[in-house]
Amino acid sequence: IKGILKIDPGRIKEMFNLIVDKEDSIRQLVLAQMASARDPIAEEFLVSYIKKIRTTDFYANHLMQCFRALGKCGSARSVPFLRETLLKWGFLTGSKRVIIRTGAAIALGTLGIEEADRVLDAAKSSMFSGIRKIAGNALQELSKEVSAIDR
């Protein structure tokens, strides 16, 4: 996968179906490749994929990996989707909603752009305690990751 994409990065569209491969190592490799650089094609695919799977049964770890990859390959184009997901998307109940909102917060924090930071600031001051907690926890997790990398 890495070799093919190094030779021809445009072939990533052909690799997208591997994101649902039954082998976890294949899924992780494809997501890692998507997350390796800002890429509008990968960004568009991940937004569409997350929209599709968020209403179905999903594996929380896989969905979180998708949000993390989106944060690394995405741009300001992803912010409206992530804003809606974190602040407004409320028709699911319980743990599913928490996982999806946490993923959106992590993606926003990983984007590293001012527009995404403003959404996280709005979430931290939300009137809903659940959203405030999710935003705070996501930022705390991201700062721990940065600290671990700096060591």
Side-chain angles (χ1 to χ4, degrees):
I1 292 171
K2 285 180 185 178
I4 291 170
L5 294 176
K6 280 185 181 184
I7 293 169
D8 183 9
R11 304 217 38 200
I12 192 148
K13 281 185 175 181
E14 297 169 24
M15 302 290 173
F16 285 153
N17 64 332
L18 296 176
I19 200 171
V20 293
D21 194 274
K22 62 183 173 184
E23 185 62 41
D24 187 50
S25 61
I26 301 280
R27 291 191 309 267
Q28 288 180 9
L29 187 58
V30 171
L31 285 169
Q33 190 62 39
M34 291 173 140
S36 66
R38 301 278 178 202
D39 181 354
I41 296 170
E43 176 184 25
E44 182 180 329
F45 170 78
L46 283 167
V47 168
S48 296
Y49 179 72
I50 292 169
K51 283 180 180 178
K52 177 180 152 189
I53 69 166
R54 69 183 180 183
T55 58
T56 65
D57 288 334
F58 57 80
Y59 294 104
N61 187 40
H62 174 65
L63 185 63
M64 293 302 288
Q65 289 173 340
C66 291
F67 273 114
R68 285 181 183 280
L70 178 59
K72 291 180 180 176
C73 75
S75 67
R77 287 184 303 272
S78 298
V79 173
F81 163 70
L82 294 169
R83 177 188 307 114
E84 177 185 318
T85 302
L86 177 59
L87 299 175
K88 297 179 184 171
W89 195 63
F91 63 86
L92 284 180
T93 58
S95 63
K96 251 184 163 178
R97 182 169 40 190
V98 171
I99 291 166
I100 290 168
R101 283 184 166 155
T102 300
I106 288 173
L108 286 162
T110 307
L111 279 171
I113 58 176
E114 190 175 321
E115 188 178 351
D117 292 342
R118 283 195 303 267
V119 174
L120 282 174
D121 287 342
K124 287 191 306 186
S125 61
S126 171
M127 62 188 254
F128 300 106
S129 62
I131 292 175
R132 286 193 310 267
K133 183 177 179 181
I134 287 168
N137 289 346
L139 290 171
Q140 187 175 19
E141 182 179 330
L142 289 169
S143 70
K144 285 180 185 177
E145 289 174 9
V146 169
S147 296
I149 291 171
D150 289 343
R151 289 183 206 156

